[in-house]
Amino acid sequence: HLSGPRSSKVERPHSTMMNADMDAIEAENQVELEEKTRLINQVLELQHTLEDLSARVDAVKEENLKLKSENQVLGQYIENLMSASSVFQTTDTKSKRK
């Protein structure tokens, strides 16, 4: 008769302790889950940033190639104009002396 209440008293602190432990584990799991979610969101954001930067690099490369091509055409055009103009002709002073 006396052992019944004693065992329930012993169980109560034990079950309270288990509940406290379970609550602590659950809180720790919740913190871990929130941290994982935060890290996943950060990774996704960084992936989007990387994709945007990669697209920008590709666009700049394409524009650079286009401008290089235009510069070559303009350079050739200027060279042709200079060779056709008497102002830019080289003078050979040795042949004039003869």
Side-chain angles (χ1 to χ4, degrees):
H1 190 63
L2 293 173
S3 66
R6 283 186 188 167
S7 64
S8 65
K9 285 182 183 177
V10 170
E11 286 179 26
R12 281 186 196 139
H14 182 65
S15 78
T16 303
M17 193 168 123
M18 284 183 68
N19 284 341
D21 288 344
M22 293 296 283
D23 289 345
I25 290 171
E26 189 176 316
E28 188 176 315
N29 287 343
Q30 182 65 28
V31 168
E32 277 186 31
L33 182 62
E34 288 173 1
E35 180 68 9
K36 285 180 183 179
T37 302
R38 187 187 68 78
L39 289 172
I40 288 169
N41 288 336
Q42 188 176 12
V43 166
L44 291 173
E45 184 180 334
L46 289 171
Q47 282 179 337
H48 291 294
T49 301
L50 180 59
E51 288 170 359
D52 292 344
L53 288 172
S54 183
R56 178 73 178 126
V57 166
D58 290 343
V60 168
K61 281 182 179 180
E62 190 175 316
E63 181 69 15
N64 186 36
L65 288 173
K66 180 182 168 190
L67 291 173
K68 278 184 179 182
S69 176
E70 289 176 5
N71 281 344
Q72 285 180 334
V73 169
L74 288 173
Q76 187 63 46
Y77 177 73
I78 290 169
E79 195 175 303
N80 290 343
L81 286 176
M82 289 173 62
S83 65
S85 172
S86 61
V87 174
F88 296 104
Q89 295 297 320
T90 57
T91 55
D92 190 359
T93 54
K94 291 181 183 176
S95 64
K96 286 184 179 178
R97 288 183 187 167
K98 286 184 180 178

